[in-house]
C-alpha cells in the first residue's frame, strides 16, 4: 500500500454533519484492512476533534495521512484558540455553551479522549488565531 492523503472540510455550527470526516476515514481504514483497534482509535479521536471544531471554532479542516505503519490526523481551525491547554486537558472541563450541552455535547471529554486514543498528540494554539492538533497512531506490524 502506498501512502494515502485525505482532506476534509469540517463545517461549523452543524452538528448533523459533525463526524462525516471521521466516518469516511473509518471506512477507508477498514477497506485498507487496518486492525479494528487502529480503526476505532482513529475514528474516536478524530470525531472528538471534529466536534470541538464545530462547538468552538466554527469548523475547520482535517488532513489525514495513512501509511502501513502510521496514521496521522491534523485538525486545523481558525477559532478563538485555547487560552489554557492544561485546563482544557482536564476531564470534565468545558467552555461549551448551554445550548450545546443541551444537545448532549460539551461534556469536557474531547481533548482528554483525543489524548487517550492517540499514540501521539501535539497541540499548537494561539488565542484569537486558532488551533492545530496533530494526532499520531501507530499501526502494529502484525495486522
Amino acid at each position: 500500500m502506498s501512502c494515502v492523503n485525505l482532506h476534509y472540510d469540517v463545517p461549523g455550527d452543524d452538528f448533523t454533519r459533525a463526524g462525516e470526516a471521521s466516518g469516511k476515514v473509518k471506512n477507508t481504514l477498514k477497506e485498507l484492512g487496518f486492525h479494528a483497534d487502529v480503526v476505532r482509535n482513529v475514528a474516536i479521536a478524530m470525531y472528538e476533534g471534529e466536534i470541538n471544531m464545530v462547538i468552538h471554532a466554527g469548523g475547520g479542516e482535517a488532513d489525514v495521512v495513512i501509511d502501513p505503519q502510521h496514521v496521522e490526523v491534523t485538525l486545523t481551525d481558525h477559532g478563538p484558540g485555547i487560552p489554557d491547554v492544561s485546563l482544557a486537558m482536564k476531564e470534565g472541563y468545558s467552555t461549551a455553551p448551554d445550548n450545546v450541552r443541551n444537545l448532549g455535547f460539551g461534556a469536557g471529554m474531547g481533548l482528554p479522549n483525543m489524548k487517550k486514543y492517540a499514540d501521539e498528540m501535539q497541540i499548537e494554539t494561539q488565542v484569537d488565531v486558532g488551533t492545530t492538533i496533530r494526532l499520531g497512531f501507530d499501526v502494529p506490524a502484525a495486522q
Side-chain angles (χ1 to χ4, degrees), residues 10 15 18-19 22 40-56 73 75 104-117 121 133 135:
V10 178
F15 288 98
S22 55
R40 183 190 69 241
N41 292 349
V42 171
I44 290 170
M46 188 172 170
Y47 176 79
E48 294 284 8
E50 282 182 83
I51 291 296
N52 278 354
M53 286 192 278
V54 171
I55 292 171
H56 302 289
V73 176
L75 304 164
F105 298 101
M109 293 303 295
L111 290 175
N113 276 340
M114 291 166 75
K115 182 174 178 148
K116 175 181 176 180
Y117 288 99
M121 180 173 170
I133 298 177
L135 304 169

Side-chain angles (χ1 to χ4, degrees), residues 96-108:
D98 287 340
N99 66 315
V100 170
R101 290 174 190 250
N102 290 338
L103 293 172
F105 298 101

Side-chain angles (χ1 to χ4, degrees), residues 75-92:
L75 304 164
T76 306
D77 69 56
H78 302 289
I82 304 170
D84 186 337
V85 173
S86 296
L87 186 58
M89 289 299 298
K90 291 185 178 180
E91 291 185 9

